[in-house]
Amino acid sequence: MIKMIADDEPLVRAGIKAVIPWNDHGFDVIGEVSDGNEAYEKILALKPDILITDIKMPRMGGLELATHISSNIPNTDIILLTGYDEFNFARTAIRIGVADYLLKPLRDGELHSILDRLASKRIAHSVTC
C-alpha cells in the first residue's frame, strides 16, 4: 500500500515519516507535499491508498483537498490532522467521509492504530473482491 503526506510544516512531515515504521505496516511513502494544490496533482497521478493531510495549508486546505479526492479517487482513505479543535471542521470531515480526524499533537500510538485499521480493511476488501 502507498501513502502520501501533505502538511505545510516540514517538521510535521518529517515527524510523521520518522515516528512510524511504515514498511512494518505495509506502507511505502510515495510523496510529501507542502500545499493542497501540489498534493491534488500528485494524488491524481499516483493514486495513493492513504493520504495524511493537514486541514490548514496554503493554496488549498485539507478539507477542500479531501472533498476533491473523495469525489474523484474514492478509494483513497484520508486522515486529517489539525491543531484546531473546532467542531465545524470535524463535522465537515465526517460529511466528506474521511477515514479519521486527529488533533495535533498526536498521542503515542494513535496513528499506528489507525494505519493498522486501514491496512486491515484494505486487506479484507482485497480478499473479498
Side-chain angles (χ1 to χ4, degrees):
M1 286 175 273
I2 55 177
K3 71 158 208 59
M4 181 178 290
I5 302 168
D7 196 302
D8 60 327
E9 298 177 45
L11 290 176
V12 172
R13 290 193 315 268
I16 290 171
K17 282 177 52 179
V19 76
I20 296 195
W22 294 103
N23 291 333
D24 293 352
H25 290 276
F27 292 100
D28 292 320
V29 178
I30 59 166
E32 59 178 270
V33 295
S34 61
D35 71 67
N37 283 350
E38 185 182 2
Y40 189 59
E41 291 172 16
K42 281 193 171 186
I43 290 164
L44 286 175
L46 302 173
K47 297 181 178 38
D49 297 303
I50 294 178
L51 167 67
I52 300 172
T53 185
D54 191 8
I55 282 185
K56 295 278 190 171
M57 291 185 294
R59 298 177 22 176
M60 181 190 308
L63 289 171
E64 183 180 354
L65 176 62
T67 299
H68 290 308
I69 292 167
S70 293
S71 297
N72 297 303
I73 311 167
N75 291 332
T76 297
D77 287 314
I78 302 164
I79 300 170
L80 284 171
L81 304 177
T82 186
Y84 302 94
D85 189 6
E86 294 184 28
F87 177 73
N88 285 333
F89 287 156
R91 181 176 56 196
T92 301
I94 290 167
R95 288 180 178 159
I96 293 168
V98 301
D100 222 306
Y101 182 93
L102 300 172
L103 292 175
K104 295 178 192 175
L106 301 178
R107 294 180 305 224
D108 288 343
E110 191 171 25
L111 192 53
H112 287 270
S113 63
I114 292 167
L115 291 169
D116 286 342
R117 176 176 50 85
L118 294 176
S120 295
K121 178 185 88 168
R122 288 187 171 278
I123 291 168
H125 178 34
S126 67
V127 169
T128 59
C129 290

